[in-house]
Amino acid sequence: MDILEINKILSNQLRLNILDWLKTPEDHFPAHKELGHFNDGVCVQYIGTKAGISQSTVSSYLSSMQKVGLITATRHGKWTYYKRNEEVIRNYIEHLSENL
Amino acid sequence: MDILEINKILSNQLRLNILDWLKTPEDHFPAHKELGHFNDGVCVQYIGTKAGISQSTVSSYLSSMQKVGLITATRHGKWTYYKRNEEVIRNYIEHLSENL
DNA sequence: ACTACATTTCGGTAATTATCGAAATGTTTT
DNA sequence: AAAACATTTCGATAATTACCGAAATGTAGT
């Protein structure tokens, strides 16, 4: 668990927003046409549109977030879906409680 | 409580170190000649020396940390002593638990 | 294996943060 | 109120991060 890296990721408002939106995808994104559910989260395109940033930027944000474990990626057909990794998030906070 | 600002401050290793050292000053700093205790924390000079950064840099770090409330400053004679503000730190973590 | 479309990677520039030394300012004690 | 010393503020430059558009790559269905 690289606390410093996670903190860096959490020091950007857009990335905080993304993490927040992913808590309740149904409140922030249209249901995906093909899947009709959010079991594996939300696809890159929807997140980028919502955030108002380019595909390349959102992709880079998401992969950095995935790298430290905050979110997980699942591929369904053409799309990659991202969702929160609640366990890692919980661990992170737990770690802060003990060490900050 | 400005979570984003606090996260930014916590995304620097040196500032994390400072916060850590201030948990047990007696383990990391010499007892101050004039005071002989750490009730109000540690002076800027000692922290800067320990961190290996210039006075201006450490001063800027400390004031940014104070600005968001993570530490408090107390002046004793010629020196300004800084110590952790445990309440704010606890609140921050509590806030993360509920909102991250 | 080609098309159509989604996603990622690759340079590139603008904005922010890191960090310094020097100058300015504050405090205590003469 | 001047000396001696501590601390903060003020530019300046190096390093990092924020983003973008274009090119490259991956995938599903012809």
Side-chain angles (χ1 to χ4, degrees):
Chain A
M1 163 104 40
D2 191 337
I3 293 294
L4 183 60
E5 280 313 305
I6 295 183
N7 288 348
K8 283 182 186 175
I9 283 169
L10 298 179
S11 65
N12 173 287
Q13 185 63 60
L14 243 27
R15 288 190 293 261
L16 285 179
N17 289 348
I18 291 170
L19 223 37
D20 185 62
W21 296 332
L22 291 179
K23 279 200 285 194
T24 54
E26 61 281 7
D27 292 344
H28 300 285
F29 303 98
H32 204 281
K33 314 183 235 327
E34 319 225 341
L35 262 61
H37 63 74
F38 292 105
N39 297 353
D40 290 314
V42 182
C43 71
V44 177
Q45 194 188 50
Y46 283 7
I47 298 173
T49 300
K50 174 86 178 176
I53 54 185
S54 74
Q55 290 272 312
S56 56
T57 298
V58 75
S59 172
S60 141
Y61 280 10
L62 292 172
S63 71
S64 70
M65 291 164 80
Q66 188 200 1
K67 199 167 173 184
V68 299
L70 288 169
I71 57 179
T72 60
T74 310
R75 188 118 195 185
H76 278 281
K78 304 178 184 175
W79 298 280
T80 303
Y81 293 77
Y82 285 95
K83 72 169 179 178
R84 291 162 55 96
N85 187 336
E86 300 295 350
E87 190 189 345
V88 170
I89 293 172
R90 230 180 303 114
N91 284 161
Y92 165 70
I93 292 172
E94 184 63 26
H95 189 281
L96 283 187
S97 302
E98 288 164 9
N99 297 293
L100 188 62
Chain B
M1 165 102 37
D2 190 337
I3 292 296
L4 183 59
E5 279 313 305
I6 294 183
N7 287 347
K8 284 183 185 174
I9 283 169
L10 297 180
S11 67
N12 173 286
Q13 186 62 61
L14 244 26
R15 288 190 292 262
L16 286 179
N17 290 348
I18 291 171
L19 225 37
D20 185 60
W21 296 331
L22 291 180
K23 278 200 284 193
T24 54
E26 60 281 6
D27 292 344
H28 300 285
F29 303 98
H32 203 282
K33 314 183 236 326
E34 318 223 343
L35 261 63
H37 63 73
F38 291 106
N39 297 353
D40 290 313
V42 182
C43 70
V44 176
Q45 196 190 47
Y46 283 8
I47 298 173
T49 299
K50 174 87 178 173
I53 54 184
S54 73
Q55 291 270 312
S56 56
T57 299
V58 74
S59 173
S60 137
Y61 280 9
L62 292 172
S63 73
S64 71
M65 291 163 81
Q66 188 200 1
K67 200 167 173 183
V68 299
L70 289 170
I71 57 180
T72 58
T74 311
R75 186 118 196 188
H76 278 281
K78 302 176 183 177
W79 298 280
T80 304
Y81 292 77
Y82 285 94
K83 70 170 183 178
R84 291 162 57 95
N85 187 337
E86 299 296 349
E87 191 189 345
V88 169
I89 294 172
R90 229 179 305 114
N91 283 162
Y92 165 71
I93 292 172
E94 183 64 24
H95 188 280
L96 283 188
S97 301
E98 289 164 8
N99 297 294
L100 188 62

